[in-house]
Amino acid sequence: MKKIGVAFGGGGARGLAHLGVIRALKNRKHFLPEIVAGTSAGSIAAVLYASGLSQVEIEETAREFDWFRNVISFSDTVRNHLSRKRGGLVSNAKLGDSINRLLSGCSFNELNTDLAIVATNIEEKSRVIFTSRRVAEKIKTEELENFLPKPEGDLPGCDTVVVSDYDDVGMAVRASCAVPGVFLPVEIKGMRLLDGGVVDQVPVDVVKAMGADITVGVSLALSFIPHKYTTAVHSLSGMVGLLGVQQLRKNLEAADIGFQIKGIERRSPFNSKQYDLIDIGEEQMNLLLDEYERKMNTLSKRLFAR
């Protein structure tokens, strides 16, 4: 059997659309992913899938989500600013606690599904991948370097660091979701980490390196680009979105099924109550799965006809 791997991209609260993608995949047993990776909001979707929760439980969890109760920690924000450990406006410390409660404290190594979470170490110019020891042992580093080449001579590049000796999944998700300029950097193993989307918006190469035979890459990234620039956050978001367009295309072209979820461009990245995004994600994933299956069936008939 072919191993299915899904890479979930970032997009703030628009990440609800990822849950529709999961719903569509779960409804087709032969497309159930064994491997998942996520960047930013996509890391939360990847964890929800890897947790083993039913689809109903996943969507119930999303409906109970609240930014102030589950993400932003004002006490940690004050503590960091007083100690001058800045680099962002607010702390997302509660997000880590929320994820760990959801997993009942499970580590990467205790999850049945192979999971990877992508963050960025800007100070060291590197992509950081958190995963289990079993995944790290079989990961194909050449696949990672094919997407993000290492520095060579005078040519710039980006190192990839695989971390498999860190058990705190919640902290890894916090780091992956630490949008530059908005959330404070997350300190893990001596690194100050920020949003994984800075270096890898839809980590298709990561699921390939983890051993996926068929890959699905789901992007929400174009929704980063605002229609109006009225705040500093809008300007930062738009800059990151535009600079990442070329990388995003490379991400999606590398996938067997790579796509940008459409019709969400005007949706808020902060409104966690846009539940119709789940249906939008499911509908578009189903259309692409139908198309992929038709192509595979046609190819199979041609091969047997020979």
Side-chain angles (χ1 to χ4, degrees):
M1 294 293 291
K2 300 286 188 181
K3 284 190 176 182
I4 310 294
V6 183
F8 298 99
R14 302 182 188 97
L16 282 165
H18 285 317
L19 306 190
V21 169
I22 293 173
R23 188 199 284 169
L25 291 166
K26 282 191 169 188
N27 285 336
R28 305 192 192 210
K29 300 304 180 185
H30 54 294
F31 265 105
L32 277 178
E34 295 180 51
I35 297 168
V36 289
T39 285
S40 198
S43 71
I44 299 175
V47 166
L48 285 169
Y49 180 82
S51 69
L53 294 173
S54 69
Q55 187 63 25
V56 170
E57 290 170 323
I58 287 174
E59 293 182 29
E60 284 179 351
T61 298
R63 290 178 185 277
E64 293 170 0
F65 184 87
D66 178 84
W67 282 95
F68 295 105
R69 186 175 66 248
N70 300 109
V71 178
I72 298 172
S73 171
F74 291 105
S75 60
D76 193 61
T77 298
V78 172
R79 194 160 45 245
N80 273 273
H81 280 277
L82 288 176
S83 63
R84 299 195 176 183
K85 291 183 178 179
R86 297 166 188 165
L89 297 176
V90 294
S91 166
N92 63 355
K94 285 185 179 179
L95 177 60
D97 296 334
S98 299
I99 292 295
N100 287 331
R101 280 196 302 272
L102 178 73
L103 296 176
S104 300
C106 283
S107 67
F108 287 96
N109 296 300
E110 294 170 312
L111 296 171
N112 292 324
T113 300
D114 287 351
L115 168 69
I117 292 170
V118 179
T120 303
N121 184 343
I122 292 180
E123 293 172 351
E124 297 297 327
K125 302 179 183 66
S126 61
R127 168 177 59 176
V128 180
I129 299 172
F130 292 94
T131 191
S132 65
R133 285 186 288 274
R134 69 174 181 272
V135 170
E137 288 172 359
K138 63 185 179 183
I139 208 161
K140 302 169 186 171
T141 55
E142 65 275 10
E143 193 74 59
L144 301 175
E145 291 170 7
N146 183 49
F147 179 73
L148 282 178
K150 299 176 72 171
E152 185 177 344
D154 294 332
L155 295 175
C158 183
D159 284 312
T160 296
V161 178
V162 178
V163 178
S164 61
D165 60 347
Y166 189 73
D167 291 336
D168 195 328
V169 179
M171 280 288 282
V173 170
R174 271 189 64 195
S176 185
C177 293
V179 178
V182 178
F183 292 117
L184 292 162
V186 177
E187 297 189 12
I188 296 176
K189 297 177 74 67
M191 302 179 288
R192 279 166 56 84
L193 304 177
L194 290 168
D195 196 300
V198 174
V199 289
D200 198 352
Q201 293 186 29
V202 185
V204 173
D205 66 310
V206 176
V207 292
K208 282 188 172 185
M210 293 165 72
D213 301 303
I214 299 172
T215 55
V216 179
V218 190
S219 169
L220 311 170
L222 295 182
S223 59
F224 278 126
I225 304 173
H227 289 271
K228 292 183 179 180
Y229 290 80
T230 57
T231 68
V233 172
H234 282 165
S235 297
L236 178 64
S237 177
M239 179 190 71
V240 171
L242 283 172
L243 289 176
V245 166
Q246 185 175 1
Q247 182 216 78
L248 174 61
R249 286 190 61 174
K250 187 177 177 182
N251 282 127
L252 299 183
E253 286 169 0
D256 295 292
I257 304 174
F259 69 109
Q260 163 75 30
I261 294 183
K262 301 174 184 176
I264 63 172
E265 293 79 9
R266 295 182 182 275
R267 296 306 187 92
S268 168
F270 304 109
N271 181 1
S272 60
K273 307 303 179 185
Q274 304 168 102
Y275 304 123
D276 63 312
L277 288 172
I278 300 175
D279 296 327
I280 291 172
E282 180 188 24
E283 180 182 359
Q284 293 184 31
M285 185 76 261
N286 275 328
L287 289 172
L288 288 164
L289 289 174
D290 288 341
E291 182 182 348
Y292 182 79
E293 288 182 325
R294 281 194 298 270
K295 287 180 179 178
M296 290 300 101
N297 287 334
T298 301
L299 178 61
S300 178
K301 288 176 182 178
R302 286 176 181 172
L303 288 174
F304 280 113
R306 292 178 183 176

